[in-house]
Amino acid sequence: MSRSAIALTAAALGAALLAPASAQAGLVGWHDAEAGVPATVTLKDVARDGETVIAVGKDTVSGEAVIYRLTGGAWQRDPLLEGPLQTPVAGELSKVAAAGGEAWAVGTDGAGKPLLVHLAAPATPPAATPPQWQRVDAPIENTSTNPPTPAMGKPTSLILSGATGYVGDDAGRIWSLSAGTVGAQPAFTTSRNPARVNGIAFAGTKGIAVTDATDQPTATRIFTLDPNASLPAPATPDAPTQDLLGVAIHGNYSLAIDSGAYWEPTHETWSRVNPAALGADGPQLADVKMADLVDVLGGQVAGAGYVWRRVHPADTWTRNKVSDSPINAVAAGGREDVWAVGDKGVVKHFNRVADPVITCDPSPCGGTSDSGSGGGSDTNTDPGTGSNPQPDPNSTPRSNPTTTTVPPADPGDPTIYVVEPDRRPATRRPGNRRPRPQRRLLDRVAVTREARRLVVSFRLTAPARVAISATRGRATVARAVARAMRAGRRRVSLPFTGAPPTELRIVVRPLPAKRAGRARGGNAGA
């Protein structure tokens, strides 16, 4: 059965057996993930493991290797320290992989030597001190063994499945990873004209590796990997003029990329697809990922960051401009769960978010309906790519934030955290009177539960953008995408799934004066 037929069958079953149409409501598109990554950071790779997302790269100002992680619904920069003085690790992390709660990241340190760090899976039950990233020694040359053990070159590719995985280097070798250690001998060596291993992918026991081209016209660049064999086997003959930069496998299907096009195996032969399939304006590809019924490519066009998605059974690609700076890597968990990272701290997420019901006390918001539709939604549009609602509700203010905690009013109510910028300096009143204190942007917050939805009420003292997320433990059970609202009493009706949430996070930001007039809910400043 062809992939299209399989996809069509799965789609038909899903339509018949899964959630009702009402459960599919909401905004879908590219959102700013608001990870709080400074523009001085270049992110080189991203990995997803359930609700956890990890992005790695380098701070171009401090020269430090960096790791940012989304866990429990909140972004954090993980400490990456070494030595008795626990100093930050210099260098760059270029690849990351995560599976089963475990993660690896690889790159080069400040001295140009291999840099490998490992994050163990959390203990069950959780330990008092969560696991931290630990640097792992790379294999070094040992001529006393038979055969001699080579040293690991600079890591260039990475794959992880559960507690095991592989890392490829720039010397054409592929090393195994297991239990937080690196194999003493290479698991595979592309001994036929070894070249940099730019991509490794595994699905069960089926593996593929891709490499740079070499100066020999018949050199192989696509290899099949068999864990039970000492050498990789050439996949099939292919044109030898392009460096292959990445490869992905999902089930029985696979894709590879070079800098300007993608490759597919057809009738057991790899073929380069006409670049026009991705657009006629010269894409520069950087990464490829696959997930259930979706293929994803990341890269740039004329310096701007783009992501291409192909949702099966369709054979055409949808192209979206997601940032003004290049996209270096993508990760996919499904058709509506795609991540992209790149230069200048860019972290983007393609997903579906709840479209909240916004009302005002005591009357409707400026003539809009209770469904929250109508004018005032804050979106941007990339010509030719469709709407891009933003940002993600789990956002963090860019200015210095202050968090106000509102304890539960009754047993079973969630704890409320209101995050907004610090108070501005107090203004001095005429006549040298006591300064008038500045009010908070959001106050008088309360929450009630009505069946399967939370009704969050609050007052805005000035026009602002408000986003809400509800969590239970580490799981996010409801979200309301950030919306521009005018001053006054407001209510947001927030459907949730499963058991009631235990925490509610409200992020509020002031609106610039030029945008306040477009906010929802009556006249600005009312």
Side-chain angles (χ1 to χ4, degrees):
M1 182 180 290
S2 69
R3 182 174 188 178
S4 296
I6 294 172
L8 187 60
T9 302
L13 288 173
L17 301 177
L18 295 180
S22 59
Q24 304 300 319
L27 297 172
V28 60
W30 284 101
H31 309 278
D32 187 345
E34 295 291 343
V37 182
T40 59
V41 169
T42 295
L43 294 173
K44 305 296 291 185
D45 199 15
V46 60
R48 173 192 172 278
D49 179 24
E51 296 296 321
T52 299
V53 179
I54 305 174
V56 300
K58 176 180 181 177
D59 190 311
T60 58
V61 173
S62 68
E64 298 171 13
V66 297
I67 301 176
Y68 287 85
R69 184 160 54 110
L70 173 64
T71 180
W75 283 95
Q76 65 187 44
R77 177 173 170 176
D78 285 353
L80 192 58
L81 308 171
E82 64 178 350
L85 299 180
Q86 290 293 279
T87 56
V89 175
E92 174 182 277
L93 290 170
S94 56
K95 296 294 179 181
V96 62
E102 186 170 5
W104 282 84
V106 301
T108 53
D109 64 15
K113 297 179 179 179
L115 172 61
L116 300 93
V117 294
H118 173 247
L119 181 69
T124 305
T129 302
Q132 302 291 319
W133 293 90
Q134 302 291 331
R135 185 164 182 175
V136 177
D137 292 335
I140 61 175
E141 184 179 15
N142 185 352
T143 58
S144 65
T145 60
N146 187 18
T149 301
M152 175 182 281
K154 295 179 180 179
T156 53
S157 52
L158 181 67
I159 186 69
L160 186 64
S161 178
T164 62
Y166 295 93
V167 56
D169 66 20
D170 64 351
R173 303 184 184 98
I174 299 174
W175 308 75
S176 63
L177 304 173
S178 180
T181 61
V182 185
Q185 294 274 2
F188 305 100
T189 300
T190 57
S191 59
R192 303 171 183 86
N193 308 303
R196 173 200 297 260
V197 181
N198 289 325
I200 310 171
F202 263 89
T205 59
K206 177 183 178 181
I208 300 176
V210 297
T211 71
D212 279 352
T214 69
D215 56 1
Q216 299 193 24
T218 59
T220 300
R221 293 168 304 140
I222 304 176
F223 297 89
T224 56
L225 303 178
D226 180 356
N228 297 316
S230 59
L231 291 175
T236 51
D238 61 299
T241 58
Q242 297 282 341
D243 293 338
L244 293 180
L245 304 181
V247 64
I249 300 178
H250 186 74
N252 293 321
Y253 306 99
S254 50
L255 287 175
I257 60 168
D258 59 42
S259 60
Y262 67 98
W263 296 65
E264 288 184 320
T266 55
H267 304 294
E268 299 184 356
T269 300
W270 284 85
S271 302
R272 189 174 192 253
V273 179
N274 189 331
L278 302 177
D281 45 5
Q284 292 180 263
L285 299 181
D287 197 16
V288 55
K289 293 295 190 307
M290 303 175 75
D292 189 28
L293 302 181
V294 65
D295 306 330
V296 185
L297 309 175
Q300 59 176 300
V301 175
Y306 278 77
V307 176
W308 292 259
R309 295 171 59 253
R310 181 171 66 177
V311 178
H312 296 274
D315 290 326
T316 58
W317 294 87
T318 299
R319 187 183 73 171
N320 289 99
K321 177 184 175 184
V322 299
S323 72
D324 292 329
S325 54
I327 290 299
N328 298 322
V330 291
R335 289 175 293 180
E336 294 179 358
D337 183 16
V338 179
W339 294 84
V341 301
D343 293 359
K344 298 183 179 179
V346 167
V347 183
K348 300 289 184 176
H349 189 199
F350 183 92
N351 67 330
R352 182 183 296 273
V353 296
D355 193 1
V357 178
I358 302 174
T359 59
C360 307
D361 293 335
S363 58
C365 297
T368 62
S369 68
D370 284 352
S371 67
S373 60
S377 62
D378 191 18
T379 63
N380 61 38
T381 302
D382 173 39
T385 63
S387 62
N388 293 276
Q390 63 170 338
D392 186 281
N394 287 322
S395 57
T396 303
R398 291 187 174 90
S399 56
N400 295 330
T402 294
T403 301
T404 302
T405 303
V406 181
D410 295 304
D413 285 352
T415 301
I416 304 171
Y417 300 95
V418 180
V419 183
E420 61 178 87
D422 271 335
R423 299 173 186 261
R424 294 168 291 168
T427 57
R428 183 166 294 279
R429 303 173 66 183
N432 292 324
R433 297 181 182 178
R434 180 176 300 175
R436 178 185 292 115
Q438 294 293 326
R439 294 179 297 175
R440 304 304 301 173
L441 272 174
L442 185 149
D443 59 14
R444 302 181 188 177
V445 62
V447 60
T448 58
R449 192 168 77 236
E450 298 177 357
R452 307 300 301 170
R453 68 177 60 231
L454 296 178
V455 178
V456 186
S457 61
F458 50 87
R459 185 187 69 160
L460 290 176
T461 60
R465 289 175 62 86
V466 179
I468 304 175
S469 63
T471 59
R472 184 176 61 254
R474 294 187 176 184
T476 299
V477 298
R479 295 184 178 190
V481 68
R483 294 293 180 89
M485 302 183 190
R486 297 179 183 174
R489 291 290 300 175
R490 300 289 176 258
R491 284 200 306 261
V492 176
S493 183
L494 195 65
F496 64 87
T497 58
T502 56
E503 293 184 357
L504 199 67
R505 185 168 181 262
I506 305 175
V507 179
V508 57
R509 289 181 180 167
L511 275 181
K514 64 182 180 180
R515 301 180 67 182
R518 293 185 296 174
R520 295 172 180 261
N523 297 323

